[in-house]
Amino acid sequence: SQELEQSPQSLIVQEGKNLTINCTSSKTLYGLYWYKQKYGEGLIFLMMLQKGGEEKSHEKITAKLDEKKQQSSLHITASQPSHAGIYLCGADGGGATNKLIFGTGTLLAVQP
Amino acid sequence: DGGITQSPKYLFRKEGQNVTLSCEQNLNHDAMYWYRQDPGQGLRLIYYSQIVNDFQKGDIAEGYSVSREKKESFPLTVTSAQKNPTAFYLCASSIDGGIFAGELFFGEGSRLTVL
């Protein structure tokens, strides 16, 4: 079965610094989703990537899917306290249904 | 406003008791899902339903049951057979259950604690 591994597990950065979170799959990715979660709350959709080499940006967050479609990165530029939370990648688990599987998450703290 | 509502937000239960978590959506989505979240383990799929009156087991269905009698509702029952029920439970929905159905919309979650 497909597994998603995220790194790092946790991250503390100073406000204004850039950072990158990685998501690596054991199989080819046919749809990769990035979500953000504040502790104790639901997940908020950030971006979806499908094509090898695809890159999408929203405000100061950029997500990329590598050409081989087995790794995705999430890059935050000039981090702010509002970026703090848990970032999770999700991927299509395969088969005929949209059964999303998730990585273990990366906890981001931004120090003012 | 459209969205997904989960209730209760916090729930305490004694060992041996069944408990039902509510999930209602007014997004007119066909597919609904239940996930369990534990520290350091990400989200794991419990059950999902692609259409009314139909549902399938996810990766960790043992000790749980669901029903999908109405399109907008997908309640989850945590039974006494679930050996480690203390967790954060998340309900989600999507437009349909097909591949690349788009993003999932999540509720705010229900935190269950077994005393």
Side-chain angles (χ1 to χ4, degrees):
Chain A
S1 61
Q2 186 172 26
E3 292 184 355
L4 296 175
E5 190 172 320
Q6 284 186 239
S7 64
Q9 287 189 333
S10 62
L11 192 55
I12 303 174
V13 299
Q14 290 282 80
E15 184 176 357
K17 296 293 185 185
N18 302 339
L19 63 107
T20 299
I21 298 168
N22 294 303
C23 175
T24 302
S25 172
S26 57
K27 296 183 180 180
T28 301
L29 295 161
Y30 292 101
L32 189 285
Y33 299 77
W34 281 101
Y35 288 84
K36 180 187 175 186
Q37 181 184 29
K38 294 207 168 179
Y39 182 76
E41 298 182 7
L43 278 66
I44 297 172
F45 171 79
L46 294 175
M47 279 172 273
M48 178 197 169
L49 305 165
Q50 276 182 249
K51 301 175 184 175
E54 187 175 8
E55 179 176 319
K56 286 187 178 177
S57 293
H58 176 67
E59 298 180 342
K60 293 185 178 179
I61 301 176
T62 301
K64 300 179 186 178
L65 182 61
D66 75 339
E67 289 289 345
K68 292 183 179 179
K69 300 205 298 182
Q70 283 196 275
Q71 185 169 45
S72 177
S73 61
L74 187 83
H75 184 78
I76 298 177
T77 304
S79 58
Q80 300 168 357
S82 61
H83 287 128
I86 301 170
Y87 289 83
L88 294 106
C89 61
D92 179 7
T97 61
N98 185 20
K99 202 173 83 172
L100 225 58
I101 61 170
F102 287 88
T104 52
T106 295
L107 176 62
L108 171 64
V110 179
Q111 291 183 331
Chain B
D1 287 334
I4 299 181
T5 303
Q6 287 186 241
S7 63
K9 192 167 177 64
Y10 300 97
L11 187 60
F12 297 89
R13 166 196 116 172
K14 292 183 180 179
E15 278 192 31
Q17 288 181 334
N18 291 355
V19 63
T20 297
L21 307 180
S22 169
C23 179
E24 304 277 329
Q25 54 101 357
N26 59 4
L27 300 166
N28 201 32
H29 286 174
D30 282 325
M32 296 186 75
Y33 313 79
W34 274 106
Y35 287 90
R36 170 181 170 141
Q37 187 175 31
D38 295 282
Q41 293 196 48
L43 274 69
R44 292 182 289 168
L45 183 64
I46 305 172
Y47 267 99
Y48 63 102
S49 167
Q50 293 178 268
I51 200 166
V52 175
N53 293 321
D54 187 47
F55 49 83
Q56 286 80 38
K57 292 182 179 180
D59 300 317
I60 54 165
E62 186 176 349
Y64 298 98
S65 66
V66 293
S67 63
R68 187 82 188 279
E69 295 175 4
K70 298 186 293 182
K71 186 176 185 178
E72 57 270 22
S73 179
F74 191 41
L76 173 75
T77 297
V78 184
T79 75
S80 57
Q82 168 51 233
K83 297 190 185 310
N84 188 19
T86 295
F88 189 55
Y89 291 88
L90 285 159
C91 178
S93 70
S94 63
I95 294 173
D96 63 48
I99 297 174
F100 307 139
E103 75 261 31
L104 298 183
F105 290 78
F106 282 85
E108 290 295 299
S110 293
R111 186 168 297 279
L112 172 64
T113 303
V114 174
L115 304 172

